[in-house]
């Protein structure tokens, strides 16, 4: 079951990465599809990280005790000001492991 | 989803480029290849380091969910998609079936269609061996360092250096996680999952260049949190799809793209016509 999952997931991931690199495939994404997909990265990444930040033990946690939330706010500010992925990641994680 | 294109001048253009690129590839000395490979490795280094905690998490979480060490390593070695792996493991833990896992994987990985689209003019003229290799290695991170636009000449050896070193880093970190997951209990309490949040925030914030993307992010964020609190399993799917739709709708209603018509699509197509 796990192996089936690994190989089928690998197929889905590889096909989506490789499909449009194939020159013999006369496939092109329509403009509407391209526009829709241009929102995919921010939407998907946000949908993955936001529960980690806002939900602790199944409940919405907006308190100052929520170190995930504090550090996520810091990370957002850092990313906004510096536009530097590494700096943002390292500094906010450093802060997190200090206060968590 | 797809529109078939007729054999247009676009494709002829691509073909002429093909021969030129291949010639250039053959004419290169091993030394310049090694240099480009090393340069790619170095350019990727910060991202390779940033992915370490995340890889540790992928390895230890797989063990926690009940995978064997071999299966855990195989996920990183064969699938090689951090977000999809972690989400899938969460779903396995929750006892969710394979089809739901695959549909979610498809959604998470759908952004790669766009990366491939953007790099098509640079990678599709290369040989099958190159296409398969670079296609397999095409991650958010590789796209970030290799797709520098038209000003920089695309170098497959540079991309290979970046992609391969990142692949190694990811797999070594996973191995560390597997070892740690076997040795230490309650690794989850360390809060390694914050690495995911930090990385994704760092990747998402710079993409918010238009109000419609902000709308998309906020809708996705709110719905994902609501779904998580209500324990709705398809939360990721619902939040991401509605977030994307909200962004598209907002752009349509406000006519956001009118002044500079469809920046994204035009850029990608212009590269194709070159």
């Amino acid at each position: 079951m796990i192996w089936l999952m690994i190989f089928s997931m690998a197929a889905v991931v590889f096909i989506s990465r490789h499909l449009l690199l194939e020159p013999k495939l006369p496939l092109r994404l329509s403009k509407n599809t391209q526009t829709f997909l241009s929102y995919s990265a921010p939407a998907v990444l946000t949908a993955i990280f936001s529960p980690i930040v806002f939900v602790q033990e199944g409940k919405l946690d907006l308190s100052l005790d929520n170190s995930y939330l504090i550090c996520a706010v810091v990370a957002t500010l850092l990313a906004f000001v510096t536009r530097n992925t590494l700096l943002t990641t390292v500094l906010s994680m450093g802060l997190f492991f200090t206060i968590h | 989803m797809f529109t078939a294109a007729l054999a247009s001048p676009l494709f002829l253009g691509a073909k002429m480029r093909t021969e030129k690129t291949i010639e250039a590839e053959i004419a290169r000395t091993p030394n310049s290849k090694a240099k480009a490979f090393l340069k790619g490795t170095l350019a990727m280094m910060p991202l390779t380091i940033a992915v370490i905690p995340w890889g540790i998490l992928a390895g230890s979480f797989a063990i926690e969910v009940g995978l064997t060490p071999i299966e855990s390593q195989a996920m990183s070695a064969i699938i090689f998609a951090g977000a999809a792996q972690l989400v899938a493991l969460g779903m396995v833990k929750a006892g969710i079936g394979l089809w739901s896992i695959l549909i979610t994987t498809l959604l998470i990985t759908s952004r790669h269609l766009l990366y491939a689209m953007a790099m098509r003019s640079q990678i599709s003229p290369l040989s099958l061996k190159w296409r398969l290799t670079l296609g397999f290695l095409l991650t958010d991170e590789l796209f970030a360092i290799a797709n520098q636009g038209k000003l920089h000449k695309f170098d497959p050896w540079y991309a290979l250096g970046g992609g391969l070193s990142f692949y190694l880093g990811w797999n070594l970190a996973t191995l560390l996680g597997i070892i740690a997951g076997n040795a230490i209990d309650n690794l989850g309490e360390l809060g390694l999952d914050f690495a995911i949040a930090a990385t994704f925030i760092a990747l998402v914030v710079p993409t918010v260049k238009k109000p419609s993307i902000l709308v998309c992010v906020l809708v996705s964020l709110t719905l994902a949190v609501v779904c998580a609190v209500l324990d709705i399993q398809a939360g990721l799917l619902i939040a991401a799809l509605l977030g994307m739709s909200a962004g598209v709708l907002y752009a349509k209603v406000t006519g956001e793209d009118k002044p500079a018509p469809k920046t994204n699509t035009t850029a990608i197509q212009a590269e194709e016509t070159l």
Side-chain angles (χ1 to χ4, degrees), chain A residues 16-18 20-23 25-26 28-30 33-34 36 39-40 43 47 50 68 71 83 86 93 96-97 100, chain B residues 1-3 5 46 53 80 109-111 113 116 120 124 131 135-136 138 190-191 193-194 212 220 265 269 272:
Chain A
S16 71
R17 282 176 182 166
H18 185 75
L20 294 171
L21 298 176
E22 204 38 66
L25 217 64
R28 288 176 57 80
L29 298 178
S30 73
T33 311
Q34 282 186 42
F36 189 65
Y39 292 90
S40 141
S50 52
Y68 285 86
C71 296
R83 308 257 143 189
L86 180 70
M93 280 176 53
F96 180 82
F97 290 121
H100 185 62
Chain B
M1 287 286 270
F2 300 106
T3 322
F80 187 44
T109 198
S110 65
R111 63 188 191 281
L113 283 170
R120 182 182 170 100
S124 72
R131 292 199 305 270
F136 178 75
L138 186 57
L190 275 178
D193 49 350
F194 184 74
S212 64
S220 175
T265 30
Q269 293 209 323
E272 282 244 328

Side-chain angles (χ1 to χ4, degrees), chain B residues 75-86:
Chain B
M75 281 194 88
S76 286
I78 301 173
I79 304 174
F80 187 44
Q85 283 174 231
L86 285 167

Side-chain angles (χ1 to χ4, degrees), chain B residues 30-206:
Chain B
N31 194 15
S32 84
K33 289 175 188 171
K35 244 185 210 158
F37 185 91
L38 200 66
K39 221 174 129 197
T41 306
L42 286 175
M44 189 64 117
M45 195 64 82
L47 294 166
T48 311
I49 293 169
V51 89
I52 290 174
W54 199 4
I56 294 177
L57 182 68
S60 59
F61 190 33
I63 296 292
E64 190 194 315
V65 168
L67 273 65
T68 65
I70 305 268
E71 289 166 344
S72 310
Q73 189 70 56
M75 281 194 88
S76 286
I78 301 173
I79 304 174
F80 187 44
Q85 283 174 231
L86 285 167
V87 171
L89 285 171
M91 294 176 86
V92 171
K93 197 180 178 190
I96 294 167
L98 183 60
W99 283 111
S100 306
I101 294 179
L102 288 180
I103 291 168
T104 308
T105 304
L106 185 62
L107 178 79
I108 296 174
T109 198
S110 65
R111 63 188 191 281
H112 293 111
L113 283 170
L114 205 74
Y115 296 165
M117 181 84 208
M119 303 202 67
R120 182 182 170 100
S121 63
Q122 296 159 320
I123 298 181
S124 72
L126 303 174
S127 66
L128 180 68
K129 204 170 63 185
W130 271 115
R131 292 199 305 270
L132 291 174
T133 311
L134 293 180
F136 178 75
L137 294 173
L138 186 57
T139 54
D140 297 287
E141 287 82 358
L142 183 62
F143 182 72
I145 70 147
N147 188 54
Q148 303 282 3
K150 278 170 282 174
L151 288 175
H152 297 255
K153 205 179 138 287
F154 176 78
D155 187 332
W157 288 95
Y158 174 86
L160 184 68
L164 214 54
S165 59
F166 190 72
Y167 178 79
L168 268 181
W170 173 246
N171 275 283
L172 284 176
T174 305
L175 180 63
L176 261 178
I178 293 170
I179 296 167
N182 268 326
I184 312 165
D185 284 336
N186 300 328
L187 202 68
E189 279 166 23
L190 275 178
L192 285 173
D193 49 350
F194 184 74
I196 303 174
T199 310
F200 284 3
I201 289 170
L203 288 174
V204 168
V205 170

Side-chain angles (χ1 to χ4, degrees), chain A residues 2 4 12 18 22-23 25-26 43 48 51-53 56 59 74 86 90 95 97:
Chain A
I2 293 293
L4 181 64
V12 170
H18 185 75
E22 204 38 66
L25 217 64
I48 294 173
I52 298 175
V53 169
Q56 304 306 336
K59 290 198 184 79
V74 171
L86 180 70
V90 169
L95 178 67
F97 290 121

